Amino acid sequence: MAILVTGGAGYIGSHTVLALLGRGEDVVVLDNLSNSSKESLHRVEQLAGKAARFYQGDIQNGECLRNIFDENKISAVIHFAGLKAVGESTRKPLEYYQNNVSGTLVLLEEMRRAGVTRFIFSSSATVYGANSPVPYVETTPIGGTTSPYGTSKLMVEQILQDFAKAEPQFSIIALRYFNPVGAHESGMIGEDPNGIPNNLLPYIAQVAIGKLEKLGIFGGDYPTKDGTGERDYIHVMDLAEGHLMAMDHLKNVDGFKAYNLGAGVGHSVLAMVQAFEKASGVKIAYQILPRRDGDLPAFWADANLAREELGWEVRRGIEEMMRDTWNWQKNNPQGYRN
Ligand code: NAD
Ligand code: WQD
């Protein structure tokens, strides 16, 4: 039996594929390469000593999915495929709802047709919206999202809940990631954003190698310890391992269940800059800019449920996140385009 990983050539997907192969699973990847390249999977193959079976195609293409389910014995699906840039989603809402919501509907329909009933969905802390108290806990009602991206994740979670009620043979877990950062410790795979990065760590790393001049810090007047925004950063390998533990837990899930995957602590932007400088020995030039539209002051996870029910908790701290980000960035200044 194999596990189908949609979006498996992407940032989190490639690290999860490596972790799956590492524990002996057979893996099939479906990716349209809209935000990734096959090079990530070549490197995963070098690291794992074996390959995932790769299909280039779109989750919105039912025929392509049918073909995959016909040609492989799939026991479960981990669904990473989707568009993820918050700012872009406000400019291209239809593309985001099409890819993230309609694409997931097509995938679920084909899973049902094929009799594949175990499903893990990449959700996000963004589903807690702008008004939930911190730390975010799974019992807090979700909603109040502030971007089409966030709303697409919210909608899929709601669809999954309805679907799981109607199809009791399905076991579904939504994993709500906080802020994934870092890279595999080999420095061979990592995050490879297109153009100027939107997210903090890739931006800092590109300042460090001289590709970007200085970091703009969005807001120095938040009601936080040092005035900069606080987030719950989580090492991508901890996140990958969380998927393995969620896979193992699916057999205990009747219907739908959501888990936060975060460290349970917040770090400020300035603290992240300092930690990166310490790990890399490189000084990061920065200036404080006005707040970025839509940003929240501070949020982090209540990470207890995943610990209690999945047996999962983070094993890597800020030092490892910075060390591995730097290792990946300096070894691959052009990402996978080397
Ligand atoms: P990514 O862009 O690196 O990976 C997504 C992959 O999906 C890419 O390889 C892309 O080519 C592929 N893809 C996109 N649309 C597709 C489609 N229609 N059909 C087939 N393949 C398609 O992003 P990532 O950071 O690895 O994120 C993976 C998932 O986790 C996404 O669903 C994202 O929304 C979610 N997530 C990410 C973060 C984060 O900060 N990175 C946080 C929370 C949730
Ligand atoms: C982190 C902190 C910024 C860039 C986003 C999505 C979220 C999730 C993860 C998918 C904030 C500050 C950033 C920069 C800065 N993705 N910052 N200068 O916004 O917490 O979350 O990615 O689900 O849904 O919204 O992550 O890395 O962009 O920002 O000062 O150039 O760094 O203001 O405080 P964010 P981020």
Side-chain angles (χ1 to χ4, degrees):
M1 297 296 273
I3 294 163
L4 172 61
V5 181
T6 73
Y11 171 44
I12 305 170
S14 57
H15 289 79
T16 304
V17 170
L18 178 59
L20 287 165
L21 291 170
R23 74 162 193 188
E25 306 278 359
D26 281 333
V27 181
V28 174
V29 169
L30 169 64
D31 200 302
N32 66 4
L33 303 180
S34 61
N35 196 37
S36 55
S37 75
K38 262 169 82 174
E39 179 59 19
S40 61
L41 292 174
H42 290 145
R43 304 223 184 150
V44 165
E45 183 178 349
Q46 285 170 38
L47 286 166
K50 63 179 185 171
R53 186 160 188 201
F54 179 68
Y55 289 82
Q56 184 169 350
D58 200 294
I59 52 164
Q60 297 173 71
N61 182 343
E63 206 183 305
C64 168
L65 286 165
R66 269 196 294 282
N67 192 20
I68 291 174
F69 288 121
D70 281 351
E71 290 180 2
N72 303 277
K73 280 196 176 347
I74 303 292
S75 59
V77 176
I78 307 182
H79 178 34
F80 294 103
L83 302 175
K84 65 159 179 177
V86 174
E88 183 186 61
S89 77
T90 62
R91 296 187 298 276
K92 299 182 174 175
L94 293 187
E95 282 85 339
Y96 273 68
Y97 290 121
Q98 194 83 49
N99 250 282
N100 295 3
V101 183
S102 304
T104 304
L105 292 180
V106 177
L107 176 58
L108 289 170
E109 207 174 304
E110 292 308 328
M111 284 179 66
R112 181 174 57 185
R113 194 192 303 260
V116 178
T117 56
R118 291 186 174 179
F119 189 66
I120 295 180
F121 174 60
S122 293
S123 189
S124 166
T126 193
V127 300
Y128 289 106
N131 304 313
S132 293
V134 288
Y136 293 160
V137 53
E138 291 88 343
T139 46
T140 304
I142 55 175
T145 46
T146 53
S147 71
Y149 168 72
T151 306
S152 75
K153 292 289 172 190
L154 176 68
M155 289 166 95
V156 170
E157 279 211 27
Q158 289 169 334
I159 290 165
L160 290 173
Q161 293 194 40
D162 290 342
F163 182 66
K165 271 188 217 140
E167 305 278 345
Q169 73 281 18
F170 268 77
S171 299
I172 299 177
I173 291 180
L175 297 174
R176 297 176 181 158
Y177 314 154
F178 280 66
N179 285 58
V181 297
H184 186 255
E185 64 179 12
S186 63
M188 282 177 61
I189 57 171
E191 187 170 11
D192 183 20
N194 267 324
I196 296 179
N198 300 307
N199 298 111
L200 180 64
L201 250 284
Y203 203 108
I204 292 177
Q206 292 196 13
V207 172
I209 55 161
K211 239 174 142 179
L212 295 168
E213 196 195 327
K214 62 174 140 172
L215 171 71
I217 295 184
F218 300 134
D221 58 352
Y222 282 113
T224 57
K225 273 195 286 308
D226 62 22
T228 64
E230 290 176 354
R231 294 291 184 273
D232 184 339
Y233 296 93
I234 168 177
H235 194 293
V236 67
M237 287 311 298
D238 279 329
L239 194 57
E241 286 162 11
H243 288 75
L244 270 50
M245 305 191 87
M247 284 284 307
D248 296 341
H249 187 63
L250 274 171
K251 60 181 178 306
N252 308 317
V253 173
D254 284 331
F256 172 89
K257 199 82 204 259
Y259 294 95
N260 289 341
L261 293 186
V265 283
H267 294 280
S268 74
V269 177
L270 278 174
M272 295 297 277
V273 169
Q274 281 153 13
F276 186 90
E277 288 178 336
K278 193 165 166 222
S280 65
V282 181
K283 197 95 193 120
I284 301 299
Y286 68 82
Q287 63 176 339
I288 306 282
L289 297 177
R291 295 178 179 191
R292 181 170 66 179
D293 255 10
D295 269 358
L296 295 175
F299 63 84
W300 56 92
D302 177 323
N304 286 315
L305 192 65
R307 184 169 43 74
E308 286 158 13
E309 295 192 2
L310 305 180
W312 174 87
E313 57 191 336
V314 297
R315 297 196 289 142
R316 300 159 181 89
I318 291 289
E319 291 83 46
E320 286 89 349
M321 297 180 205
M322 300 304 169
R323 179 198 66 195
D324 296 336
T325 300
W326 179 230
N327 193 26
W328 154 253
Q329 184 70 79
K330 73 175 176 343
N331 290 336
N332 304 273
Q334 307 305 327
Y336 290 117
R337 286 162 223 93
N338 282 341

